[in-house]
Amino acid sequence: KAGVTQTPRYLIKTRGQQVTLSCSPISGHRSVSWYQQTPGQGLQFLFEYFSETQRNKGNFPGRFSGRQFSNSRSEMNVSTLELGDSALYLCASSLVGTGTGYTFGSGTRLTVV
Amino acid sequence: DAKTTQPPSMDCAEGRAANLPCNHSTISGNEYVYWYRQIHSQGPQYIIHGLKNNETNEMASLIITEDRKSSTLILPHATLRDTAVYYCIVSLASGGSQGNLIFGKGTKLSVKP
């Protein structure tokens, strides 16, 4: 079956712009989480959605936001981009109720110039 | 902060068992131990998880001490493709969701021919 699909794979944006990243979870998975990975900070949790509701949120500024649609697809948005937002953004989905692990996508590599 | 402590790096000969330790002395009774690995430039991959009993699947075995303060991930016959960063994570599984995963720095396992 298809895995977690993230689009686009690579993105270059200018400081001050905004960006929207997309994530399609595995069919049937209703829990979607987003992570940011940088060389300095490692993997950091951004937020988690389940049934269109945000269940958990990490320690990121309000410029980072997300949403989940009724088909479980999710988007995250970063406004007023800063150089420090350059990172690999990873989406992960899970089949709730089974206690199984998250399946991660390959990520979107965002470069802010 | 991550609730786990792992050695920063380990080497293993190809074909031998790789035993990756993890300390989680502050784990609470309802927290699970999860293991993920990340091969360079890919998203993390779920390996295995457990609560208090030892677990085995097609990828690895997880040995959790009786007091649950530490665990060991065992890759029985390591191959070059097992070279990756391995993350040990403790997490609640409330409502079937794992909530947020707090990644530490992990152990970089290098499998050598």
Side-chain angles (χ1 to χ4, degrees):
Chain A
K1 60 183 178 183
V4 177
T5 303
Q6 291 188 247
T7 56
R9 287 296 312 276
Y10 302 93
L11 204 50
I12 300 175
K13 288 286 190 178
T14 304
R15 267 185 306 174
Q17 287 186 314
Q18 75 162 13
V19 67
T20 298
L21 310 182
S22 179
C23 171
S24 293
I26 289 174
S27 178
H29 286 197
R30 294 164 61 194
S31 174
V32 173
S33 291
W34 289 88
Y35 291 81
Q36 181 197 64
Q37 186 171 28
T38 60
Q41 299 298 318
L43 276 154
Q44 293 186 285
F45 170 75
L46 280 158
F47 21 68
E48 180 200 8
Y49 287 89
F50 175 71
S51 291
E52 303 178 65
T53 301
Q54 187 180 89
R55 284 165 56 128
N56 285 294
K57 188 176 189 307
N59 189 25
F60 278 82
R63 299 186 297 107
F64 292 81
S65 64
R67 59 178 175 168
Q68 186 180 34
F69 301 96
S70 58
N71 62 358
S72 295
R73 191 178 69 86
S74 178
E75 288 180 348
M76 67 162 281
N77 183 276
V78 188
S79 63
T80 319
L81 283 165
E82 301 176 359
L83 295 179
D85 297 333
S86 295
L88 179 66
Y89 289 89
L90 292 156
C91 167
S93 73
S94 171
L95 188 58
V96 175
T98 64
T100 55
Y102 275 105
T103 301
F104 282 80
S106 297
T108 293
R109 172 75 61 185
L110 172 65
T111 301
V112 182
V113 298
Chain B
D1 288 350
K3 295 179 66 173
T4 61
T5 303
Q6 299 177 253
S9 63
M10 290 182 64
D11 290 340
C12 177
E14 189 178 19
R16 306 296 295 268
N19 297 287
L20 291 90
C22 179
N23 287 320
H24 32 79
S25 58
T26 60
I27 191 171
S28 60
N30 56 352
E31 286 182 314
Y32 289 72
V33 179
Y34 286 86
W35 283 84
Y36 287 79
R37 71 181 183 184
Q38 187 173 27
I39 297 170
H40 185 61
S41 295
Q42 297 180 22
Q45 177 190 23
Y46 165 79
I47 302 173
I48 198 167
H49 75 284
L51 184 62
K52 56 177 113 174
N53 297 322
N54 298 336
E55 302 288 343
T56 296
N57 63 20
E58 65 279 4
M59 289 183 68
S61 294
L62 173 61
I63 308 298
I64 303 174
T65 57
E66 195 168 336
D67 63 7
R68 302 209 325 124
K69 293 185 177 182
S70 66
S71 61
T72 301
L73 178 74
I74 301 172
L75 307 179
H77 306 287
T79 70
L80 299 178
R81 289 179 297 177
D82 291 322
T83 292
V85 178
Y86 287 76
Y87 297 98
C88 169
I89 300 164
V90 296
S91 179
L92 292 170
S94 59
S97 167
Q98 294 166 47
N100 55 307
L101 301 177
I102 300 176
F103 288 82
K105 297 191 183 301
T107 295
K108 181 170 173 52
L109 175 69
S110 298
V111 180
K112 300 182 184 300

